Amino acid sequence: MASQLLRALRILFVLLVLVLLNPHKCNGMPELPEVEAARRLLQRCCVGKVVRRCIAAPDEKVFEGGISQKFAKHMTGSHVVAACRKGKQLWLELQRPPHPSFHLGMTGSFAALRPNGTVECAEYVNSKVDASQWPPKHWKFHLEMEPEKGAAAGEKVAFVAIRRFERVRLQADPRGEHPVKGLGFDPLLEMPPAEAFAEALATRQGPVKGALLDQVQPPPPFHARCPPRPIGRQLTPHRHAARVSQRVWATGLQTRCCTRRGCTPRRPAAP
């Protein structure tokens, strides 16, 4: 009996490993294009408008430092000047500090209810926003913007956090504070020339994949589970970063491909 149970556990373990390492399945966490899509949603619905009302859920895990009520009070009446992003960090620039900053974690997303009744969602594989009711299920805060002149209602925006690994902060200077301050260049906005990129990576110790995933250098332009396509058998995830030639880095930066079938580079829609 004990041997049969042990054999069953071994089979379950093997099946679990096969599921987790499925080469044809990409994890559904938000990457740079998804965070950029969320920023563009905030750009359309919040920038240039005043927050009429903000309601925040008392979630001490999502609101760093247990600031949910302080967040709601500060956001009410605030004028939104800009929606900003660097890497996977997202923030709204207000007319007066502190500014709200967000990290989408594993399942974070934004949804908007437009004045005409249509719903927009910045969603992806792991974040399926249920906007059949407002505010959506799993909301952590929602905003109601002042209506434009002649409009009966304003934009409504909600932050959704299903698994509560997401974070909301209030910061005096998000760009100059942790965690944004420690990030490298943004590959969607600040991609350096291939020569400079190759020179920077040549100083790194360790495998290529580890160097790319370290966001103190560049945030990864592709999904962590999808390593760059091997080019001439030189650019592989486990090859030492300093031993990759400049030509190979340049080719890799131009392609940004994925080796796994069914996984294509994702680009955000136009604003």
Side-chain angles (χ1 to χ4, degrees), residues 49 51 59 61 65 74 113 125 128 136 163 166 184 187 206 230 258 269:
K49 301 178 175 66
V51 180
D59 191 319
K61 182 178 179 182
H74 178 70
L113 179 63
V125 175
K128 297 298 183 183
R163 297 186 62 183
E166 299 69 27
C258 296

Side-chain angles (χ1 to χ4, degrees), residues 3-261:
S3 61
Q4 291 179 346
L5 180 60
L6 182 60
R7 184 170 179 271
L9 289 174
R10 286 175 177 172
I11 293 174
L12 287 174
F13 176 76
V14 171
L15 290 175
L16 178 62
V17 170
L18 290 176
V19 169
L20 293 176
L21 300 182
N22 184 354
H24 306 314
K25 177 182 177 182
C26 283
N27 197 352
M29 293 174 61
E31 299 297 336
L32 295 187
E34 285 80 15
V35 181
E36 174 64 13
R39 187 202 68 80
R40 294 183 182 188
L41 185 149
L42 294 175
Q43 175 81 26
R44 292 190 295 271
C45 299
C46 298
V47 173
K49 301 178 175 66
V50 175
V51 180
R52 169 185 278 185
R53 183 173 63 160
C54 174
I55 298 178
D59 191 319
E60 295 186 359
K61 182 178 179 182
V62 173
F63 287 90
E64 194 170 272
I67 59 167
S68 59
Q69 297 311 307
K70 178 181 178 182
F71 177 89
K73 184 178 180 180
H74 178 70
M75 290 298 295
T76 301
S78 292
H79 184 269
V80 182
V81 176
C84 309
R85 179 193 63 78
K86 184 168 185 179
K88 296 184 185 181
Q89 303 296 328
L90 183 67
W91 68 95
L92 288 175
E93 184 179 327
L94 306 180
Q95 201 166 47
R96 56 185 174 87
H99 310 283
S101 65
F102 320 103
H103 189 273
L104 299 188
M106 297 180 68
T107 56
S109 185
F110 281 91
L113 179 63
R114 310 304 299 270
N116 61 6
T118 60
V119 176
E120 291 187 26
C121 299
E123 61 181 12
Y124 43 93
V125 175
N126 274 355
S127 178
K128 297 298 183 183
V129 178
D130 180 6
S132 58
Q133 59 181 15
W134 193 267
K137 190 176 180 181
H138 303 297
W139 66 272
K140 294 304 171 185
F141 72 81
H142 58 94
L143 311 173
E144 181 182 349
M145 314 305 291
E146 291 283 358
E148 295 182 358
K149 189 175 181 179
E155 309 273 4
K156 296 181 179 180
V157 177
F159 179 61
V160 178
I162 299 173
R163 297 186 62 183
R164 301 177 64 223
F165 287 102
E166 299 69 27
R167 292 293 179 267
V168 178
R169 305 178 179 92
L170 284 175
Q171 296 182 297
D173 179 18
R175 197 179 293 274
E177 297 179 31
H178 174 80
V180 177
K181 182 180 180 180
L183 294 177
F185 64 83
D186 187 292
L188 292 180
L189 304 174
E190 308 163 339
M191 198 65 182
E195 295 79 9
F197 185 75
E199 183 178 348
L201 266 295
T203 63
R204 295 297 301 271
Q205 299 295 318
V208 168
K209 185 174 181 180
L212 290 175
L213 291 178
D214 182 1
Q215 292 191 20
V216 176
Q217 290 289 329
F222 49 82
H223 199 283
R225 292 287 300 277
C226 302
R229 181 184 299 277
I231 302 170
R233 297 185 180 277
Q234 294 189 61
L235 186 53
T236 60
H238 305 294
R239 184 174 177 82
H240 196 288
R243 296 173 186 169
V244 181
S245 69
Q246 186 173 346
R247 179 189 64 81
V248 173
W249 275 121
T251 309
L253 291 179
Q254 291 169 7
T255 58
R256 298 193 200 174
C257 293
C258 296
T259 61
R260 296 197 167 104
R261 186 177 62 191

